[in-house]
Amino acid sequence: FGFPLLLRAPGYHMGEHFRYVATADDLAAAVAALPGDELLAIAFLDARGADGNARKYRALIVDGTLYPVHLAISRAWKIHYFSADMRNNAANRAEEAAYLADMAGHLGPAAIAALERIAAALELDYAGIDFGIGRDGNVLVFEANPTMAVYYPDSDAVFAYRRPAIERILAAVRTLFSARARGR
């Protein structure tokens, strides 16, 4: 591994016990601050755009089709939708709305092709991918698994634009379950 890198204590979620380590000189202090006897060392993937903001996209795969879930934008490297700068930033919400309305147009054909290859490699009826886009245009996979959650947006009118994307996903999951129940 090179630096920067990420250290994570296994068994924790939502960014708890997860540290960015800039240099080898910072390693001992980061290790000492994390619980447990084992840590995961993870290559740092820089998902910052030219504007300095990091972006974490989430897409779901339902029965082989990709669906956009959300786009979280933040100045911080560690992004979760709940901690991203979305509620109070109209420009970020507009960028997310563009992604949700037209994932392929927003990401471009190379990124969509990469996500489709990931979906094919997973060979799952349902899975999610958290990813960023590097400055070189490549997809940066943060996580891909069959337990990726989809959260309905809260009732605040500022997030009304997110509801249609979630409804499409829920409809696709219902269709998947119905088809599998009929043996298809």
Side-chain angles (χ1 to χ4, degrees), residues 50-90:
D51 63 359
N53 286 323
R55 287 163 174 78
K56 184 177 83 171
Y57 297 85
R58 177 169 290 178
L60 280 191
I61 306 149
V62 181
D63 203 19
T65 300
L66 289 166
Y67 295 90
V69 178
H70 66 239
L71 165 58
I73 303 171
S74 175
R75 299 299 290 176
W77 69 267
K78 183 171 40 175
I79 308 171
H80 293 87
Y81 197 87
F82 65 83
S83 64
D85 186 18
M86 302 304 292
R87 181 176 301 280
N88 298 316
N89 190 311

Short mmCIF file of all heavy atoms in Angstrom, two decimals, residues 50-90:
data_model
loop_
_atom_site.label_atom_id
_atom_site.label_comp_id
_atom_site.label_asym_id
_atom_site.label_seq_id
_atom_site.Cartn_x
_atom_site.Cartn_y
_atom_site.Cartn_z
N ALA A 50 -13.16 18.41 -10.00
CA ALA A 50 -12.35 19.62 -10.20
C ALA A 50 -12.73 20.72 -9.21
O ALA A 50 -11.92 21.58 -8.89
CB ALA A 50 -12.51 20.11 -11.63
N ASP A 51 -13.96 20.68 -8.69
CA ASP A 51 -14.42 21.68 -7.73
C ASP A 51 -13.98 21.38 -6.30
O ASP A 51 -14.28 22.12 -5.38
CB ASP A 51 -15.93 21.82 -7.79
CG ASP A 51 -16.68 20.55 -7.41
OD1 ASP A 51 -16.04 19.51 -7.11
OD2 ASP A 51 -17.92 20.58 -7.42
N GLY A 52 -13.27 20.26 -6.10
CA GLY A 52 -12.79 19.89 -4.77
C GLY A 52 -13.78 19.08 -3.96
O GLY A 52 -13.45 18.58 -2.89
N ASN A 53 -15.00 18.91 -4.44
CA ASN A 53 -16.01 18.11 -3.74
C ASN A 53 -15.87 16.64 -4.10
O ASN A 53 -15.63 16.29 -5.27
CB ASN A 53 -17.42 18.56 -4.11
CG ASN A 53 -17.80 19.86 -3.48
OD1 ASN A 53 -17.44 20.14 -2.34
ND2 ASN A 53 -18.53 20.69 -4.21
N ALA A 54 -16.04 15.79 -3.09
CA ALA A 54 -16.09 14.35 -3.33
C ALA A 54 -17.54 13.97 -3.63
O ALA A 54 -18.47 14.58 -3.11
CB ALA A 54 -15.58 13.60 -2.11
N ARG A 55 -17.68 12.95 -4.47
CA ARG A 55 -19.01 12.48 -4.84
C ARG A 55 -19.08 10.98 -4.65
O ARG A 55 -18.19 10.25 -5.09
CB ARG A 55 -19.31 12.84 -6.29
CG ARG A 55 -19.57 14.31 -6.48
CD ARG A 55 -19.46 14.73 -7.93
NE ARG A 55 -19.85 16.12 -8.10
CZ ARG A 55 -19.06 17.15 -7.79
NH1 ARG A 55 -17.84 16.95 -7.34
NH2 ARG A 55 -19.49 18.39 -7.95
N LYS A 56 -20.15 10.55 -3.99
CA LYS A 56 -20.40 9.12 -3.85
C LYS A 56 -21.78 8.83 -4.43
O LYS A 56 -22.80 9.30 -3.95
CB LYS A 56 -20.36 8.66 -2.39
CG LYS A 56 -20.54 7.14 -2.27
CD LYS A 56 -20.43 6.65 -0.85
CE LYS A 56 -21.75 6.84 -0.18
NZ LYS A 56 -21.83 6.21 1.15
N TYR A 57 -21.76 8.05 -5.49
CA TYR A 57 -22.98 7.64 -6.16
C TYR A 57 -23.41 6.29 -5.60
O TYR A 57 -22.57 5.48 -5.21
CB TYR A 57 -22.73 7.45 -7.66
CG TYR A 57 -22.34 8.69 -8.40
CD1 TYR A 57 -21.01 9.11 -8.46
CD2 TYR A 57 -23.28 9.45 -9.08
CE1 TYR A 57 -20.63 10.23 -9.17
CE2 TYR A 57 -22.92 10.58 -9.80
CZ TYR A 57 -21.59 10.97 -9.84
OH TYR A 57 -21.23 12.08 -10.54
N ARG A 58 -24.71 6.04 -5.61
CA ARG A 58 -25.22 4.71 -5.32
C ARG A 58 -26.16 4.32 -6.45
O ARG A 58 -27.01 5.10 -6.87
CB ARG A 58 -25.97 4.65 -3.99
CG ARG A 58 -26.57 3.25 -3.73
CD ARG A 58 -27.07 3.08 -2.32
NE ARG A 58 -25.91 3.03 -1.42
CZ ARG A 58 -26.02 2.93 -0.10
NH1 ARG A 58 -27.20 2.88 0.47
NH2 ARG A 58 -24.93 2.88 0.64
N ALA A 59 -25.95 3.10 -6.94
CA ALA A 59 -26.84 2.52 -7.95
C ALA A 59 -27.21 1.13 -7.49
O ALA A 59 -26.41 0.45 -6.84
CB ALA A 59 -26.15 2.46 -9.32
N LEU A 60 -28.41 0.71 -7.83
CA LEU A 60 -28.85 -0.64 -7.53
C LEU A 60 -28.96 -1.42 -8.82
O LEU A 60 -29.23 -0.86 -9.88
CB LEU A 60 -30.23 -0.65 -6.86
CG LEU A 60 -30.28 -0.35 -5.38
CD1 LEU A 60 -31.66 -0.65 -4.84
CD2 LEU A 60 -29.25 -1.07 -4.59
N ILE A 61 -28.76 -2.71 -8.68
CA ILE A 61 -28.98 -3.65 -9.77
C ILE A 61 -30.18 -4.47 -9.35
O ILE A 61 -30.15 -5.13 -8.31
CB ILE A 61 -27.76 -4.57 -9.95
CG1 ILE A 61 -26.48 -3.77 -10.14
CG2 ILE A 61 -28.00 -5.55 -11.10
CD1 ILE A 61 -25.26 -4.46 -9.60
N VAL A 62 -31.23 -4.41 -10.13
CA VAL A 62 -32.41 -5.22 -9.87
C VAL A 62 -32.70 -6.02 -11.14
O VAL A 62 -32.99 -5.44 -12.19
CB VAL A 62 -33.64 -4.37 -9.48
CG1 VAL A 62 -34.85 -5.26 -9.19
CG2 VAL A 62 -33.33 -3.49 -8.28
N ASP A 63 -32.53 -7.32 -11.03
CA ASP A 63 -32.77 -8.23 -12.16
C ASP A 63 -32.00 -7.80 -13.42
O ASP A 63 -32.53 -7.80 -14.51
CB ASP A 63 -34.27 -8.35 -12.44
CG ASP A 63 -34.63 -9.63 -13.18
OD1 ASP A 63 -33.81 -10.58 -13.18
OD2 ASP A 63 -35.73 -9.69 -13.76
N GLY A 64 -30.75 -7.39 -13.20
CA GLY A 64 -29.87 -7.05 -14.32
C GLY A 64 -29.93 -5.62 -14.80
O GLY A 64 -29.16 -5.22 -15.67
N THR A 65 -30.83 -4.81 -14.25
CA THR A 65 -30.97 -3.42 -14.68
C THR A 65 -30.42 -2.49 -13.60
O THR A 65 -30.66 -2.69 -12.42
CB THR A 65 -32.46 -3.09 -14.94
OG1 THR A 65 -32.95 -3.95 -15.97
CG2 THR A 65 -32.64 -1.65 -15.37
N LEU A 66 -29.69 -1.47 -14.03
CA LEU A 66 -29.14 -0.47 -13.11
C LEU A 66 -30.16 0.63 -12.84
O LEU A 66 -30.82 1.11 -13.77
CB LEU A 66 -27.90 0.17 -13.73
CG LEU A 66 -26.65 -0.68 -13.82
CD1 LEU A 66 -25.63 -0.04 -14.75
CD2 LEU A 66 -26.05 -0.89 -12.44
N TYR A 67 -30.26 1.02 -11.58
CA TYR A 67 -31.14 2.10 -11.16
C TYR A 67 -30.35 3.07 -10.27
O TYR A 67 -29.70 2.63 -9.31
CB TYR A 67 -32.33 1.57 -10.34
CG TYR A 67 -33.26 0.69 -11.13
CD1 TYR A 67 -33.05 -0.68 -11.20
CD2 TYR A 67 -34.34 1.24 -11.80
CE1 TYR A 67 -33.91 -1.49 -11.92
CE2 TYR A 67 -35.20 0.44 -12.53
CZ TYR A 67 -34.97 -0.93 -12.59
OH TYR A 67 -35.83 -1.73 -13.31
N PRO A 68 -30.44 4.36 -10.54
CA PRO A 68 -29.77 5.32 -9.65
C PRO A 68 -30.54 5.45 -8.34
O PRO A 68 -31.78 5.46 -8.33
CB PRO A 68 -29.82 6.63 -10.44
CG PRO A 68 -31.06 6.51 -11.28
CD PRO A 68 -31.15 5.03 -11.63
N VAL A 69 -29.82 5.53 -7.22
CA VAL A 69 -30.44 5.66 -5.90
C VAL A 69 -30.21 7.06 -5.35
O VAL A 69 -31.15 7.73 -4.94
CB VAL A 69 -29.89 4.62 -4.90
CG1 VAL A 69 -30.51 4.80 -3.53
CG2 VAL A 69 -30.10 3.22 -5.42
N HIS A 70 -28.95 7.48 -5.30
CA HIS A 70 -28.64 8.83 -4.83
C HIS A 70 -27.22 9.22 -5.22
O HIS A 70 -26.42 8.39 -5.64
CB HIS A 70 -28.85 8.98 -3.31
CG HIS A 70 -27.92 8.19 -2.45
ND1 HIS A 70 -28.36 7.26 -1.56
CD2 HIS A 70 -26.56 8.20 -2.31
CE1 HIS A 70 -27.33 6.73 -0.91
NE2 HIS A 70 -26.24 7.29 -1.37
N LEU A 71 -26.96 10.49 -5.04
CA LEU A 71 -25.64 11.07 -5.21
C LEU A 71 -25.40 11.95 -3.99
O LEU A 71 -26.17 12.87 -3.73
CB LEU A 71 -25.56 11.91 -6.49
CG LEU A 71 -24.35 12.86 -6.63
CD1 LEU A 71 -23.03 12.11 -6.56
CD2 LEU A 71 -24.46 13.66 -7.92
N ALA A 72 -24.35 11.65 -3.24
CA ALA A 72 -23.99 12.45 -2.07
C ALA A 72 -22.75 13.26 -2.42
O ALA A 72 -21.77 12.71 -2.94
CB ALA A 72 -23.72 11.54 -0.87
N ILE A 73 -22.78 14.55 -2.12
CA ILE A 73 -21.68 15.45 -2.45
C ILE A 73 -21.21 16.12 -1.17
O ILE A 73 -22.02 16.62 -0.38
CB ILE A 73 -22.12 16.51 -3.48
CG1 ILE A 73 -22.65 15.82 -4.74
CG2 ILE A 73 -20.97 17.47 -3.82
CD1 ILE A 73 -23.31 16.75 -5.74
N SER A 74 -19.89 16.13 -0.97
CA SER A 74 -19.35 16.65 0.27
C SER A 74 -17.92 17.16 0.07
O SER A 74 -17.21 16.69 -0.81
CB SER A 74 -19.34 15.55 1.33
OG SER A 74 -18.73 15.97 2.52
N ARG A 75 -17.49 18.06 0.93
CA ARG A 75 -16.09 18.48 0.95
C ARG A 75 -15.23 17.41 1.62
O ARG A 75 -14.02 17.37 1.43
CB ARG A 75 -15.92 19.80 1.71
CG ARG A 75 -16.66 20.98 1.12
CD ARG A 75 -16.27 21.37 -0.26
NE ARG A 75 -14.93 21.96 -0.35
CZ ARG A 75 -14.37 22.28 -1.50
NH1 ARG A 75 -15.00 22.10 -2.63
NH2 ARG A 75 -13.16 22.80 -1.51
N ALA A 76 -15.84 16.53 2.42
CA ALA A 76 -15.11 15.50 3.16
C ALA A 76 -14.92 14.26 2.30
O ALA A 76 -15.73 13.95 1.43
CB ALA A 76 -15.88 15.13 4.43
N TRP A 77 -13.86 13.50 2.56
CA TRP A 77 -13.60 12.26 1.82
C TRP A 77 -14.58 11.17 2.22
O TRP A 77 -14.93 10.31 1.42
CB TRP A 77 -12.16 11.78 2.04
CG TRP A 77 -11.90 11.31 3.44
CD1 TRP A 77 -11.41 12.06 4.48
CD2 TRP A 77 -12.12 10.00 3.97
NE1 TRP A 77 -11.33 11.30 5.63
CE2 TRP A 77 -11.75 10.02 5.34
CE3 TRP A 77 -12.59 8.80 3.43
CZ2 TRP A 77 -11.84 8.91 6.17
CZ3 TRP A 77 -12.68 7.69 4.26
CH2 TRP A 77 -12.31 7.75 5.61
N LYS A 78 -15.00 11.16 3.47
CA LYS A 78 -15.91 10.12 3.99
C LYS A 78 -17.34 10.63 3.84
O LYS A 78 -17.76 11.54 4.54
CB LYS A 78 -15.58 9.81 5.45
CG LYS A 78 -16.41 8.72 6.03
CD LYS A 78 -15.98 8.24 7.41
CE LYS A 78 -15.54 9.28 8.36
NZ LYS A 78 -15.25 8.78 9.70
N ILE A 79 -18.05 10.04 2.91
CA ILE A 79 -19.37 10.55 2.55
C ILE A 79 -20.44 9.51 2.86
O ILE A 79 -20.34 8.36 2.44
CB ILE A 79 -19.48 10.87 1.05
CG1 ILE A 79 -18.36 11.77 0.59
CG2 ILE A 79 -20.82 11.49 0.73
CD1 ILE A 79 -18.31 11.92 -0.91
N HIS A 80 -21.45 9.95 3.56
CA HIS A 80 -22.70 9.22 3.69
C HIS A 80 -23.79 10.22 3.34
O HIS A 80 -23.62 11.43 3.56
CB HIS A 80 -22.90 8.70 5.12
CG HIS A 80 -21.90 7.65 5.48
ND1 HIS A 80 -20.67 7.96 6.00
CD2 HIS A 80 -21.95 6.31 5.36
CE1 HIS A 80 -19.99 6.84 6.19
NE2 HIS A 80 -20.74 5.83 5.81
N TYR A 81 -24.88 9.74 2.81
CA TYR A 81 -25.89 10.69 2.36
C TYR A 81 -26.34 11.59 3.51
O TYR A 81 -26.50 12.79 3.35
CB TYR A 81 -27.10 9.97 1.74
CG TYR A 81 -27.93 10.92 0.93
CD1 TYR A 81 -27.63 11.18 -0.40
CD2 TYR A 81 -28.97 11.64 1.51
CE1 TYR A 81 -28.35 12.09 -1.14
CE2 TYR A 81 -29.70 12.56 0.79
CZ TYR A 81 -29.39 12.78 -0.54
OH TYR A 81 -30.11 13.71 -1.26
N PHE A 82 -26.51 11.02 4.69
CA PHE A 82 -26.99 11.80 5.83
C PHE A 82 -26.02 12.90 6.27
O PHE A 82 -26.43 13.88 6.88
CB PHE A 82 -27.33 10.89 7.02
CG PHE A 82 -26.16 10.19 7.63
CD1 PHE A 82 -25.34 10.80 8.56
CD2 PHE A 82 -25.87 8.87 7.25
CE1 PHE A 82 -24.26 10.14 9.11
CE2 PHE A 82 -24.79 8.20 7.81
CZ PHE A 82 -23.98 8.84 8.73
N SER A 83 -24.73 12.74 5.96
CA SER A 83 -23.76 13.76 6.37
C SER A 83 -23.27 14.62 5.21
O SER A 83 -22.47 15.54 5.42
CB SER A 83 -22.56 13.09 7.06
OG SER A 83 -21.86 12.26 6.14
N ALA A 84 -23.74 14.34 4.02
CA ALA A 84 -23.31 15.11 2.84
C ALA A 84 -24.00 16.48 2.83
O ALA A 84 -24.98 16.72 3.53
CB ALA A 84 -23.66 14.34 1.57
N ASP A 85 -23.48 17.36 2.01
CA ASP A 85 -24.01 18.71 1.89
C ASP A 85 -25.11 18.75 0.84
O ASP A 85 -24.94 19.27 -0.25
CB ASP A 85 -22.87 19.67 1.53
CG ASP A 85 -23.29 21.12 1.52
OD1 ASP A 85 -24.34 21.43 2.12
OD2 ASP A 85 -22.58 21.94 0.93
N MET A 86 -26.25 18.15 1.18
CA MET A 86 -27.33 18.07 0.22
C MET A 86 -28.53 18.95 0.62
O MET A 86 -29.03 19.71 -0.20
CB MET A 86 -27.79 16.61 0.06
CG MET A 86 -26.67 15.68 -0.38
SD MET A 86 -25.84 16.14 -1.92
CE MET A 86 -27.13 15.88 -3.10
N ARG A 87 -28.98 18.84 1.85
CA ARG A 87 -30.19 19.55 2.27
C ARG A 87 -30.09 21.06 2.04
O ARG A 87 -31.05 21.67 1.57
CB ARG A 87 -30.48 19.26 3.73
CG ARG A 87 -31.75 19.95 4.24
CD ARG A 87 -32.08 19.59 5.67
NE ARG A 87 -32.29 18.17 5.86
CZ ARG A 87 -33.41 17.51 5.55
NH1 ARG A 87 -34.44 18.16 5.05
NH2 ARG A 87 -33.49 16.21 5.77
N ASN A 88 -28.97 21.66 2.34
CA ASN A 88 -28.84 23.11 2.29
C ASN A 88 -28.09 23.61 1.07
O ASN A 88 -27.69 24.78 1.04
CB ASN A 88 -28.14 23.61 3.57
CG ASN A 88 -28.96 23.28 4.79
OD1 ASN A 88 -30.17 23.45 4.82
ND2 ASN A 88 -28.30 22.77 5.82
N ASN A 89 -27.90 22.76 0.07
CA ASN A 89 -27.13 23.17 -1.10
C ASN A 89 -27.93 22.86 -2.37
O ASN A 89 -27.96 21.71 -2.83
CB ASN A 89 -25.78 22.45 -1.10
CG ASN A 89 -24.85 23.00 -2.15
OD1 ASN A 89 -25.23 23.16 -3.30
ND2 ASN A 89 -23.62 23.28 -1.75
N ALA A 90 -28.54 23.87 -2.93
CA ALA A 90 -29.39 23.70 -4.11
C ALA A 90 -28.60 23.18 -5.32
O ALA A 90 -29.12 22.38 -6.10
CB ALA A 90 -30.09 25.02 -4.46
#
